[in-house]
Amino acid sequence: MVRKSLVVFAICTSVALAISLATAGDIPSGANLSASAIVDRNVAARGGLQAWRAVQTMSMEGKLGAGGNQRATLPVRPQGPTPSLNEIPQRPVNETQLPFVMELKRPRKMRVELVFKGQTAIQVFDGANGWKLRPFLNRRAVEPYTEQEMKSAAMQADLDGPLVDYAAKGTQVELDGVEKVEDRDTYKVKLTMKNGQSIHVWIDAQSFLETKIEGQPRRLDGEYHPVEVYYRDYRPVNGLQIPYVLETKVLPLAQKSPGVRNTPVPVEKIVIEKVAVNPILDGSLFSKPADGVVQKTK
């Protein structure tokens, strides 16, 4: 549960990648565009460089889908009397909708509160270090991020995403071709960060808004699976366009041997219900409490 929520939230911080759908309609698509030209049009479509530089904080509220499992149960040969169907535990099909609040502040600070079983879990990254509180696991003391959690947090972009001011951030961009994403032409752009890690972003060839982004690989059954996050349902907020639905898809691996079934993982959805641009956020929200007592934001 915690590993899943961290991955989703790390991915969720890049929600600020999509801006100004209305202005995007005035930007013509074109062939033979360079990667830098595509990114420039993306930033213009999202509201412009100066508009994003003016955004210092952002908060989001919504619900995170967790716990649903529509994968088929692998057949197991019974060792004793054949049990009835009522005796076989069934996986829950529908996701549980968990309320969350996410608060972002430059540079690269993030705080997430997630309500689970009537208790509030908290995850905080201050741009350099991370800590968490997980009362639903009967862990009442503040704990530091694990090594893997720190790697995921270090990969997250600032609230304006990895494309705005990419050169100043030490990122290199290159075009990896044009691909169809849900029957629409998109530019597949590769971003190589200054630490050497790379991700791909797919930009719509008409609107120049992000269609999807490559997420952190997910470990399932002992192997890492590629992850993609789709942006949907753009809505205006203070002149900006924000995707209110993010869908995470864990992709199957290539078939290694005949007869081995690669069961699909259901889509995970984040639905954003409220967005605030430049709210006042106290710096203490992103600090580890010295006494171990966590103050809620609400």
Side-chain angles (χ1 to χ4, degrees):
M1 165 63 199
V2 173
R3 179 178 61 185
K4 171 184 173 181
S5 64
L6 177 68
V7 172
V8 174
F9 285 130
I11 294 170
C12 190
T13 59
S14 61
V15 68
L17 285 172
I19 299 302
S20 193
L21 184 61
T23 59
D26 298 328
I27 303 176
S29 62
N32 303 320
L33 289 175
S34 66
S36 60
I38 293 169
V39 173
D40 287 345
R41 293 192 181 196
N42 167 264
V43 174
R46 291 156 51 193
L49 183 60
Q50 297 306 316
W52 265 118
R53 286 176 174 172
V55 179
Q56 297 299 311
T57 61
M58 184 176 291
S59 69
M60 305 174 194
E61 299 180 24
K63 290 185 172 61
L64 163 70
N69 194 336
Q70 301 176 25
R71 287 180 291 170
T73 303
L74 295 177
V76 178
R77 183 182 297 276
Q79 299 300 315
T82 303
S84 67
L85 292 178
N86 292 333
E87 295 174 342
I88 301 176
Q90 300 297 312
R91 292 171 170 168
V93 174
N94 296 323
E95 290 187 325
T96 300
Q97 299 300 308
L98 306 179
F100 74 88
V101 177
M102 183 181 343
E103 294 161 315
L104 308 170
K105 185 175 183 178
R106 294 188 190 273
R108 300 178 62 247
K109 297 181 179 182
M110 178 183 71
R111 178 187 176 99
V112 174
E113 295 189 6
L114 177 71
V115 179
F116 180 64
K117 292 185 177 180
Q119 303 182 82
T120 301
I122 300 175
Q123 295 180 172
V124 174
F125 183 66
D126 65 6
N129 299 290
W131 57 270
K132 60 195 175 186
L133 184 69
R134 301 178 291 176
F136 56 87
L137 294 179
N138 291 323
R139 297 184 179 182
R140 307 292 173 177
V142 170
E143 303 173 276
Y145 272 15
T146 64
E147 181 179 353
Q148 184 59 44
E149 289 168 342
M150 279 300 301
K151 288 182 180 179
S152 297
M155 277 292 290
Q156 76 183 40
D158 208 339
L159 55 78
D160 54 16
L163 297 181
V164 174
D165 272 335
Y166 71 91
K169 296 172 182 175
T171 301
Q172 298 179 345
V173 298
E174 58 183 295
L175 181 61
D176 265 3
V178 176
E179 293 185 357
K180 288 282 188 182
V181 175
E182 298 180 333
D183 296 325
R184 292 183 64 88
D185 289 329
T186 65
Y187 297 105
K188 182 180 180 182
V189 179
K190 180 181 179 181
L191 288 77
T192 303
M193 317 302 180
K194 63 181 179 181
N195 63 3
Q197 294 180 299
S198 62
I199 62 171
H200 286 91
V201 178
W202 286 259
I203 299 174
D204 190 279
Q206 293 295 324
S207 70
F208 284 92
L209 298 174
E210 290 84 357
T211 299
K212 68 176 180 177
I213 188 171
E214 187 176 0
Q216 288 291 307
R218 184 81 57 84
R219 186 176 177 85
L220 293 174
D221 302 324
E223 296 187 273
Y224 283 97
H225 291 237
V227 172
E228 296 177 341
V229 183
Y230 289 74
Y231 299 104
R232 309 188 190 281
D233 192 14
Y234 289 91
R235 302 182 191 178
V237 179
N238 290 16
L240 309 178
Q241 284 284 338
I242 303 294
Y244 270 57
V245 174
L246 287 82
E247 293 183 349
T248 299
K249 295 183 179 181
V250 180
L251 305 182
L253 297 174
Q255 198 75 16
K256 292 184 177 181
S257 59
V260 177
R261 182 166 56 180
N262 205 341
T263 56
V265 178
V267 174
E268 300 165 0
K269 181 181 292 188
I270 292 176
V271 177
I272 298 172
E273 299 171 339
K274 181 180 179 181
V275 178
V277 177
N278 282 329
I280 297 175
L281 299 179
D282 192 279
S284 63
L285 292 173
F286 307 95
S287 300
K288 179 180 178 180
D291 57 2
V293 178
V294 178
Q295 300 295 326
K296 293 181 62 178
T297 60
K298 299 293 183 183

